[in-house]
Amino acid sequence: MLGRTLQEVSAALKQGQITPVELCQKCLSLIKKTKFLNAYITISEEVALKQAEESEKRYKKGHSLGALDGIPVAVKDNFSTSGIETTCASNMLKGYVPPYNATVVQRLLDQGAVLMGKTNLDEFAMGSGSTDGVFGPVKNPWSYSKQYREKRKQKPHGENEDSNWLITGGSSGGSAAAVSAFTCFAALGSDTGGSTRNPAAHCGIVGFKPSYGLVSRHGLIPLVNSMDVPGILTRCVDDAATVLGVLAGHDPKDSTTIQDPGKPFMLSSLTDVSKLCIGIPKEYLVPELSSEVRSFWSKAANLFESEGAKVIEVSLPHTSYSIVCYHVLCTSEVASNMARFDGLEYGHRCDIDVSTEAMYAATRREGFNDVVRGRILAGNFFLLKENYANYFIKAQKVRRLIANDFVNVFNSGVDVLLTPTTLSEAVPYLEFIKEDNRTRSAQDDIFTQAVNMAGLPARQPEQPGRQVVEHVVETVPGDVKNAQKQ
């Protein structure tokens, strides 16, 4: 039962093949058995069982709330959850219990979803491996698959086998691992520059980043306000569409949400792709791209072409500037957002009482890791009066050019872009940590961050063997233009 899709298990619940409580107990049992993956920071067992009991009562009365009623879900630990600790995997927020739910969390609960717990991540979602949080790194479930074990046997054993597991990608690695390990049927992640799609690619599941403004950010602890989007992780595209249908819509608590988003369009709803025009950005064919990813990319394009779709080469000419532009804008907003964590209102506070300035400095030194502090320093540098025009303003101008590249491509008749998600398959932990966080993020976000700057939707589809190809899945040019206005 745990290996089924969300829609399949929803049907099983309606048919009485299993009860919500039984399903919840199965997931809780598997969460405990797979604790070594470190996918969860907090397991909300009592809350989940109570929610499952309430769901079971509704089913017995024939009053099911919908497709998500009784379905176990998980939430990344940077979404506020009422009465449940929310840490962002940081010492700064250890012990913080929000008094309210994020809008996306509340909408899941309103539909009867069962919250299994809060998932692990890079501290404050700053990373691409889910290895930099204070609760330790997340391990990819595929590390323990028969395929990977057989592959390891063919290599020399000079390395520490206990540390040679595969990374999940990040920063939503805990959510991806939770879905991939069958401990829940859907999970929420956040996506600022690829943080939902990257781990989905490495864990062999679906990761969907909606258009900016389609889903509310209220209650998502911000990293980069102008790029953050709640993401969806599931085992198949249809399940992602089901969850999106619940989450999408205007929220008066988030002024950036679209008033009338209309019905979300997913490629999975298409039965005939012969009228699609699919663009392959030539700038994405970079030397660092692994042969495996290159092969899958070509295979995916050929599959569309064999079904009658038109596949053409397109150009996004400002791609080469996007990662630098993203770094400047990202760190600038990080510096602003992290300023609220000063030790006065909530979260960690040091014991130093020599002066207010000393307390501020010590609190932030103790509360933030090196990655967060580094991004704060970089952002403040870019925002200095003497640097503002040369860095931040120029980056904003380049961001507009990058967004216009996408608009021009879609206005030329292209419906969908087919691109890689990551440069390579999931790598072993020991190999991943050889590079610093900034270098790793720049490499792993190269294909994903541009759509966040443009406000566009993107998806990493499920495929056997952890295929690493994504495609933008909302195709109406008007939607692109609306996203630009948000």
Side-chain angles (χ1 to χ4, degrees), residues 208-209 265-267 415-417 457-459 471-475:
F208 180 68
K209 184 202 86 69
F265 168 70
M266 301 284 283
L267 274 184
D415 299 303
V416 178
L417 295 180
R459 171 165 61 84
H471 40 267
V472 176
V473 297
E474 288 183 65
T475 63

Side-chain angles (χ1 to χ4, degrees), residues 131-271:
T131 60
D132 291 322
V134 296
F135 297 100
V138 184
K139 299 180 180 180
N140 194 323
W142 283 86
S143 307
Y144 306 93
S145 67
K146 182 179 179 181
Q147 298 96 313
Y148 184 67
R149 289 182 181 276
E150 290 297 325
K151 184 178 179 181
R152 288 298 311 144
K153 288 179 181 179
Q154 300 170 11
K155 295 187 176 183
H157 292 273
E159 302 168 343
N160 181 358
E161 293 297 319
D162 291 337
S163 299
N164 205 42
W165 38 266
L166 300 171
I167 63 161
T168 57
S171 62
S172 306
S175 290
V179 174
S180 183
F182 299 159
T183 62
C184 62
F185 294 87
L188 291 181
S190 62
D191 197 308
T192 306
S195 289
T196 294
R197 292 157 288 155
N198 179 298
H202 288 322
C203 293
I205 60 174
V206 169
F208 180 68
K209 184 202 86 69
S211 302
Y212 186 85
L214 185 62
V215 177
S216 174
R217 293 181 297 109
H218 173 69
L220 168 60
I221 295 174
L223 177 63
V224 181
N225 301 64
S226 67
M227 300 183 207
D228 291 343
V229 178
I232 300 167
L233 296 113
T234 58
R235 292 186 203 136
C236 71
V237 177
D238 288 337
D239 287 354
T242 298
V243 177
L244 179 62
V246 170
L247 301 183
H250 176 64
D251 178 13
K253 297 176 181 178
D254 181 359
S255 62
T256 66
T257 50
I258 299 171
Q259 290 289 340
D260 183 17
K263 184 179 179 181
F265 168 70
M266 301 284 283
L267 274 184
S268 59
S269 64
L270 290 179
T271 56

